[in-house]
Amino acid sequence: MGLFSDVGRKVEKTKQAFTDGERAEYVCVACEEPLDENYEYCPRCGEDSVEPAA
Ligand SMILES: [Zn+2]
């Protein structure tokens, strides 16, 4: 588990550059853009439709 959390921390910093949906924690329900933060407004379409992906 120690190794996993180390990798997880690195991914946390870099995944913003490649949000491909697999690791996204949030998603815009308007345009289905995967997001790594709970944006108040979707950075892609501008709708306030960001919801937790899970
Ligand atoms: Zn959107």
Side-chain angles (χ1 to χ4, degrees):
M1 291 307 254
L3 179 64
F4 179 79
S5 60
D6 247 6
V7 172
R9 241 171 253 146
K10 285 180 184 173
V11 171
E12 194 72 36
K13 283 187 175 178
T14 54
K15 71 180 179 183
Q16 212 167 2
F18 51 93
T19 50
D20 58 6
E22 291 187 347
R23 292 185 170 276
E25 294 171 26
Y26 298 92
V27 62
C28 172
V29 296
C31 69
E32 301 185 333
E33 176 79 349
L35 301 165
D36 62 350
E37 290 179 34
N38 189 9
Y39 291 97
E40 187 169 357
Y41 296 98
C42 172
R44 181 182 176 190
C45 72
E47 294 290 328
D48 58 345
S49 306
V50 180
E51 304 280 351

